Amino acid sequence: MIANGSQPSAKLYIVYLGERRHEDPNLVTASHHDLLSSILGSKEEALSSIVYSYRHGFSGFAAMLTDSQALQIRGIWPESKSFNDYGYGPIPSRWKGTCQTGQNFTMNNCNRKIIGARWYTGGIDASNLNVDYKSPRDFNGHGTHTASTAAGSFVSNTSFHGLGVGTARGGAPHARLAIYKALWGRLGKGSDASVLKAIDDAVHDGVDILSLSLGGRFLPSFVTIHAVAKGITVVFSAGNDGPLPQTISNELPWVITVGASTMDRSFPTIITLGNNQKLVGQSLYYTSNDGSNSTELILIESCSTVELNTTDIAGKIAVCADSLYAPGDIPSGAAVAVGSFSKIVISLIEAQAEGVIFSRSPVSLLQVVEKFIYVLVDNDVMLQIVDYIGLSDTSSPTALINPAYNIVGSRVMSPRVAAFSSRGPSLGYPDLIKPDITAPGVSILAAKADAYYFESGTSMSCPHVSGVAALLKAAHPEWSPAAIKSALVTTAYMTNAYGFPFEADGVPRKLADPFDFGGGHINPNRALDPGLIYDVDPNDYFKFFNCTSDASNCDLVDAHLYHLNLPSISISDLKTSVTVKRTVTNVGDTDTIYRAIVESPPGVKITAEPSVLKFNAFNEVQTFALTFTSLHAVQGDLTSEA
């Protein structure tokens, strides 16, 4: 922005807005008028202020502005383009939040997109505080990545070194963002007290959605019931402790708990062995290669860090597999705890290895390691590489690793539940199906500092659902958090693009069930028009809350979560027969008939009464009953039917 002129009240400012967002120059000019109108108060003042509109080679304009008006425009471009507020109107009058400043964070870092920011240090260890910015500014990239996934603005031509190229956008790209920083340091450490205060302030400030990509078991998570009672939808990540069962986190009936699934994109890498045999792996390797710099391979019997540290692998590509490797372990970045595989990579780098070809399942859990060759292969490819090394007639078997490229679409079988995604059933609340739903959480490209990076985890799937929940709230402002949750769960995909039931990654891979994916993989378009919703009076949540905290004040009905009007049913101890009622509200077409199609799981008989519901009006409410009868007594068995 360049100022010119001598008038004390207004100066000629040149505002550069980057690449054009419209092919039609008239639309580019109209966008300039809209931006100025939001600053100056009217379109007439905008037209009289603007001197030139730059609309062909780039987007921008020259206008007569006061210093304060120019300052408002300069909030448009914080460090990440995903948070620019180009085209946004004034901040909603109902917003009560603030822009709390601090280290490397000023009022200019808030704008009409990021409308609020706060930070909390209570109970945080000094070792985590001292390496971080004492301000809302993101240190490890986790908050920026998740926020841009939930509600990042449109940013064209983004990629990670040409991988995943396209237009980046959040789930609700026009939504406003308020940032509450309560996690600190490289690994995002926090305290329950700080997280609670952040949630409390968010409720006061007037948020519509709380997106909480928090790992582990947040002990006072019960307090989110108060946010839900005030109409705020709360979305949690399910945790990254899969594929073992009973590892689910954040399993509360009033929140949406999100697991992670894959999407229809992969990054193949061609491995050319010294005998010209070509094999395919997966990687995010992007360094250009002219085909002349093959690298020596060295076979390592075990990828244990002990053996890596005692083997001469400097300048070579290690080839190894580890049968003890846990398939759910995420290749760790700065934002998540260092897993076993990351320790292997660190050991290789310390030993000055050129890279690694690693056999593991699944091959989709990729990691970015700068200036290091990192390729995942399946066991079949690994066997061929091992055979080549063993049969090579040279003392130095080699391989040429080509940069990865993109494959998108039906050739990639998806979705699948990610191996790391935590699974149910819930240990604490067995009468509750968790997770509620899955969303993309593997190799998600989103903002990090001033660039775009891939990250994996349920921290990445959680904001996908948060963004869609924001869209549903905008389309149906009268819907409660329970209604939004119901719409998401009852409309989710349960099959892949070919119509087959989708799978859950692990060793071995298996067909996914409700303990893996809840209602299924998120389907935003169908969720806008779910037909029927299962709504819940917040007072019913409080009955459960009070019963949990003081069992002497609840009756048997309150104690069983399967009596809550949720869009799923879990009966943890079915000895004889249990009848459960559900109430549905028609939010779809009138004069609609719904028929129950019962597919009973093995060993259980299910009947529905009535089996037919006819709705004659919008918002009409009807109740039906489901009776579950055990056909034989079995202890310690789990059955389900989606």
Side-chain angles (χ1 to χ4, degrees), residues 7 15 42 76 99 117 133 140 184 258 270 277 292 303 362 376 381 389 424 508 533 577 633:
Q7 293 182 0
V15 179
S42 70
I76 286 177
C99 184
Y133 299 104
N140 62 30
W184 299 82
V258 186
I270 302 299
Q277 182 181 3
S292 61
C303 271
L376 297 182
V381 171
I389 294 174
I533 56 172
S577 180

Side-chain angles (χ1 to χ4, degrees), residues 45-60:
E45 289 190 55
L47 291 172
S48 63
S49 171
I50 198 164
V51 177
Y52 296 113
S53 180
Y54 310 114
R55 54 186 190 162
H56 299 293
F58 62 94
S59 176

Side-chain angles (χ1 to χ4, degrees), residues 69-89:
Q69 291 166 346
L71 185 61
Q72 290 184 64
I73 292 178
R74 191 182 302 169
I76 286 177
W77 298 102
E79 285 77 3
S80 174
K81 293 180 180 179
S82 287
F83 306 127
N84 81 78
D85 65 355
Y86 176 70
Y88 280 71

